[in-house]
């Protein structure tokens, strides 16, 4: 299956020091699942760039500094994600630079964001299940009836924005990243993309490549798109798709076809 995930980095760093200003794309495969990561600005000064991407997402990853905790711009992004009803995973980063314990940070996340923020880095024992069950009535009833919370139930509540899995680590040292990826693989239900249905796509960004060619970035919401197909783009005349690019970083692969769930760039379209 294919999943598109946005990554929001909470940072006040300058552009020279690495702040993300324009969304970038990476394609990865983990445990047989194909994922498209869209790294977008997390800073509110670039919220328009970020918000355009929201319509194309299956899930979001909110990256928060363990040293700084929940700040004003974190809450702004949280409200936007809630407004678009996007399920969210949280990665509390830079724990090597933080003198705060996981318990203290979890209390802050639950107080400032949602009671549904739960520590998935903790041991998955009976006490962990009970803590999660206490955050939502339906989960509590299930736990009391069954004595446990199965993976399918947890995944459904992540999808329904009742649970927001939180993972702790230090990305620079590759600490906690594998646990985040394992959790995403375990608790991300497959999106219901229909590659055999009617064609549909949503443009979320216009940019230029190194040669100055105009790129229309689209997420296919249904059906398939092939090279040489003619599209009604809303201009005076239909336009032919001369190339389809699948980007990962600055490099791309030209392909003959994409289908529902894919994120691609189409060069040369004018409308």
């Amino acid at each position: 299956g294919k999943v598109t995930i946005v990554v929001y980095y909470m940072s006040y760093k300058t552009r020279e020091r690495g702040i993300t200003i324009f969304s970038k794309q990476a394609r990865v495969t983990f445990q047989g699942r194909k994922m498209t990561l869209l790294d977008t600005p997390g800073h509110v000064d670039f919220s328009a760039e970020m918000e355009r991407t929201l319509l194309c997402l299956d899930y979001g990853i909110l990256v928060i500094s363990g040293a700084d905790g929940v700040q004003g711009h974190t809450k702004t992004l949280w409200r936007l994600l809630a407004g678009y009803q996007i399920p969210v995973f949280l990665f509390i980063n830079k724990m090597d630079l933080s003198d705060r314990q996981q318990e203290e940070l979890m209390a802050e996340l639950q107080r400032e964001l949602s009671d549904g923020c739960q520590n998935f880095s903790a041991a998955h024992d009976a006490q962990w299940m009970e803590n999660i069950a206490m955050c939502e009535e339906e989960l509590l009833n299930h736990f009391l009836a069954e004595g446990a919370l199965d993976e399918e139930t947890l995944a459904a509540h992540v999808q329904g924005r009742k649970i927001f899995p939180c993972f702790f680590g230090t990305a620079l040292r590759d600490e906690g990243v594998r646990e985040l990826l394992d959790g995403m693989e375990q608790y991300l239900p497959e999106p219901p993309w229909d590659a055999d249905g009617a064609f549909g796509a949503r443009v979320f960004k216009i940019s230029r490549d190194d040669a100055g060619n105009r790129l229309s970035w689209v997420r296919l919401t249904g059906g398939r798109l092939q090279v040489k197909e003619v599209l009604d783009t809303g201009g005076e005349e239909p336009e032919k798709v001369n190339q389809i690019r699948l980007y990962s970083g600055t490099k791309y692969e030209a392909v003959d076809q994409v289908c529902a769930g894919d994120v691609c760039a189409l060069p040369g379209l004018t409308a």
Side-chain angles (χ1 to χ4, degrees), residues 206-223:
I206 302 294
S207 68
R208 300 273 178 180
D209 65 13
D210 292 338
N213 299 309
R214 175 186 165 107
L215 298 176
S216 299
W217 294 79
V218 302
R219 173 75 188 271
L220 265 69
T221 56

Side-chain angles (χ1 to χ4, degrees), residues 88-199:
V88 182
F89 283 65
L90 293 91
F91 186 73
I92 297 80
N93 194 24
K94 301 182 181 179
M95 289 301 293
D96 60 323
L97 302 179
S98 176
D99 57 2
R100 306 173 69 185
Q101 299 299 311
Q102 291 186 16
E103 293 77 9
E104 180 186 351
L105 287 164
M106 282 306 309
E108 180 178 349
L109 292 169
Q110 292 172 351
R111 182 178 65 252
E112 300 291 343
L113 301 181
S114 170
D115 289 338
C117 293
Q118 295 292 323
N119 187 355
F120 275 58
S121 288
H124 288 29
D125 54 19
Q127 183 61 55
W128 177 80
M129 287 191 182
E130 183 177 343
N131 291 339
I132 292 180
M134 293 294 291
C135 75
E136 205 265 332
E137 184 177 357
E138 183 181 340
L139 271 176
L140 180 58
N141 291 336
H142 182 94
F143 179 73
L144 293 174
E146 302 294 334
L149 298 174
D150 56 85
E151 182 177 317
E152 184 179 351
T153 298
L154 290 172
H157 281 74
V158 171
Q159 176 75 24
R161 287 182 47 87
K162 302 296 185 181
I163 299 175
F164 303 98
C166 301
F167 295 86
F168 291 81
T170 300
L172 189 62
R173 297 182 178 180
D174 198 22
E175 297 173 357
V177 176
R178 178 58 188 253
E179 288 76 9
L180 171 64
L181 291 172
D182 285 338
M184 290 166 56
E185 194 276 332
Q186 191 171 5
Y187 299 111
L188 291 182
E190 291 285 353
W193 297 111
D194 185 6
D196 298 319
F199 171 76

Side-chain angles (χ1 to χ4, degrees), residues 8-270:
Y8 301 99
Y9 283 102
M10 304 291 95
S11 173
Y12 277 110
K13 295 186 293 184
T14 64
R15 181 171 184 174
E16 289 74 15
R17 292 176 60 195
I19 189 172
T20 301
I21 295 179
F22 301 109
S23 60
K24 298 295 184 181
Q25 174 179 328
R27 298 165 59 230
V28 299
T29 300
F30 182 74
Q31 304 284 43
R33 176 174 295 192
K34 296 179 181 179
M35 299 182 183
T36 301
L37 300 179
L38 299 178
D39 177 15
T40 76
H43 197 293
V44 292
D45 287 353
F46 309 104
S47 58
E49 172 77 14
M50 177 269 294
E51 193 167 359
R52 283 193 294 269
T53 313
L54 287 171
L55 294 171
C56 301
L57 305 181
D58 299 311
Y59 296 92
I61 301 174
L62 187 62
V63 182
I64 299 174
S65 167
D68 299 332
V70 177
Q71 301 189 346
H73 51 283
T74 316
K75 296 180 183 180
T76 299
L77 284 174
W78 190 258
R79 287 192 294 269
L80 285 170
L81 290 162
Y84 286 93
Q85 287 297 291
I86 297 171
V88 182
F89 283 65
L90 293 91
F91 186 73
I92 297 80
N93 194 24
K94 301 182 181 179
M95 289 301 293
D96 60 323
L97 302 179
S98 176
D99 57 2
R100 306 173 69 185
Q101 299 299 311
Q102 291 186 16
E103 293 77 9
E104 180 186 351
L105 287 164
M106 282 306 309
E108 180 178 349
L109 292 169
Q110 292 172 351
R111 182 178 65 252
E112 300 291 343
L113 301 181
S114 170
D115 289 338
C117 293
Q118 295 292 323
N119 187 355
F120 275 58
S121 288
H124 288 29
D125 54 19
Q127 183 61 55
W128 177 80
M129 287 191 182
E130 183 177 343
N131 291 339
I132 292 180
M134 293 294 291
C135 75
E136 205 265 332
E137 184 177 357
E138 183 181 340
L139 271 176
L140 180 58
N141 291 336
H142 182 94
F143 179 73
L144 293 174
E146 302 294 334
L149 298 174
D150 56 85
E151 182 177 317
E152 184 179 351
T153 298
L154 290 172
H157 281 74
V158 171
Q159 176 75 24
R161 287 182 47 87
K162 302 296 185 181
I163 299 175
F164 303 98
C166 301
F167 295 86
F168 291 81
T170 300
L172 189 62
R173 297 182 178 180
D174 198 22
E175 297 173 357
V177 176
R178 178 58 188 253
E179 288 76 9
L180 171 64
L181 291 172
D182 285 338
M184 290 166 56
E185 194 276 332
Q186 191 171 5
Y187 299 111
L188 291 182
E190 291 285 353
W193 297 111
D194 185 6
D196 298 319
F199 171 76
R202 178 176 287 118
V203 178
F204 66 93
K205 182 175 70 169
I206 302 294
S207 68
R208 300 273 178 180
D209 65 13
D210 292 338
N213 299 309
R214 175 186 165 107
L215 298 176
S216 299
W217 294 79
V218 302
R219 173 75 188 271
L220 265 69
T221 56
R224 303 173 188 272
L225 178 65
Q226 295 181 326
V227 172
K228 303 304 181 184
E229 281 194 37
V230 176
L231 296 178
D232 181 1
T233 57
E236 295 182 0
E237 298 290 340
E239 298 188 73
K240 182 183 291 186
V241 176
N242 291 315
Q243 188 182 50
I244 300 173
R245 298 180 181 179
L246 295 180
Y247 271 87
S248 191
T250 58
K251 298 180 179 180
Y252 69 86
E253 173 189 4
V255 298
D256 294 329
Q257 175 181 271
V258 286
C259 59
D262 283 327
V263 178
C264 64
L266 305 179
L269 301 183
T270 59

